[in-house]
Amino acid sequence: MSDEAIKHPGLNLGSAHGRDHDAAEAMLFGFWIFLMSDAILFSMVFATYVTSVNATAGGPGPHALYDIKSVFIETLLLLTSSFTFGMASLALKYKHGTAQLIGWLAVTLVLGVAFLGFELHDFASMFAKGGVPSRSGFLSAFFDLVPLHGLHVMGGSIWLICLVGQIAMYGVDTQVKLGVMRLALFWHFLDIVWIAIFSVVYLAGLT
């Protein structure tokens, strides 16, 4: 594997982008450091959840609260959004045009917002069944982990809106390219975290 192929993990802009390709190196390295710190944060809340999953204090547990069908839809939405963001990254790299880039980013945004809508519905349903954070250690740990991921998705969605507005105002300049590259890494990271949540929290909780 060439040095060029591994220069920018996640997306290589390529020499056709000139100085933007070089500017990405330090920027993306710093963003990888941020993602590692975020991974440590999620690791801690995962550990808290795993050690508290049986601490229901006589209250409702996973079987009474989780709606696996809704969670499966959320999973499909988020994984599809990862694909559409990948298409946006390719549109940026190969200069397929501003309209195509904005289009893929917009589809990703819609999928992200739909994911959040389903998740909020799940939380409301859990509350209606008595599954509030103060009810037990299990629920405290659940609402420490899963909404934390949701807040990240919401932050990524706001970032997406800002990026689209930036493209509309300034075109696909250096800052936009770096923004898309960083947000792509962030969005795919959230997908990986969600797969872990789906497996550890929902699937394991219902078996």
Side-chain angles (χ1 to χ4, degrees):
M1 183 178 292
S2 67
D3 291 339
E4 187 69 17
I6 61 174
K7 188 174 183 181
H8 310 304
L11 172 66
N12 295 305
L13 283 174
S15 57
H17 289 265
R19 64 185 180 87
D20 298 336
H21 179 64
D22 296 324
E25 186 171 10
M27 182 66 73
L28 288 190
F29 175 77
F31 200 73
W32 273 108
I33 299 297
F34 161 73
L35 288 180
M36 285 189 284
S37 68
D38 216 25
I40 293 172
L41 171 63
F42 275 107
S43 297
M44 290 190 294
V45 291
F46 263 110
T48 302
Y49 175 83
V50 170
T51 57
S52 304
V53 67
N54 294 317
T56 59
H63 286 276
L65 296 173
Y66 295 165
D67 182 354
I68 194 62
K69 291 182 180 179
S70 179
V71 176
F72 182 68
I73 293 173
E74 292 164 31
T75 303
L76 291 180
L77 288 169
L78 204 58
L79 292 180
T80 303
S81 76
S82 190
F83 168 78
T84 58
F85 211 127
M87 296 302 295
S89 297
L90 292 175
L92 171 66
K93 177 178 180 178
Y94 295 109
K95 299 183 177 181
H96 290 166
T98 302
Q100 190 170 141
L101 174 60
I102 291 178
W104 285 116
L105 291 176
V107 173
T108 302
L109 176 62
V110 170
L111 291 169
V113 171
F115 167 86
L116 291 173
F118 273 94
E119 188 167 69
L120 289 173
H121 177 269
D122 286 350
F123 294 161
S125 177
M126 291 176 66
F127 275 43
K129 298 174 184 176
V132 296
S134 59
R135 181 62 183 84
S136 65
F138 153 66
L139 285 164
S140 294
F142 174 89
F143 283 104
D144 188 28
L145 171 59
V146 181
L148 176 64
H149 175 270
L151 285 173
H152 278 69
V153 175
M154 184 174 67
S157 298
I158 294 171
W159 191 354
L160 264 173
I161 294 171
C162 293
L163 267 179
V164 171
Q166 194 174 357
I167 294 171
M169 290 185 65
Y170 303 109
V172 185
D173 59 8
T174 301
Q175 295 305 315
V176 165
K177 292 177 183 179
L178 296 179
V180 171
M181 294 173 74
R182 283 177 290 169
L183 183 52
L185 291 177
F186 182 73
W187 201 267
H188 296 317
F189 168 76
L190 293 182
D191 283 348
I192 294 171
V193 173
W194 179 256
I195 291 172
I197 291 174
F198 180 69
S199 302
V200 174
V201 175
Y202 292 105
L203 291 184
L206 293 176
T207 56

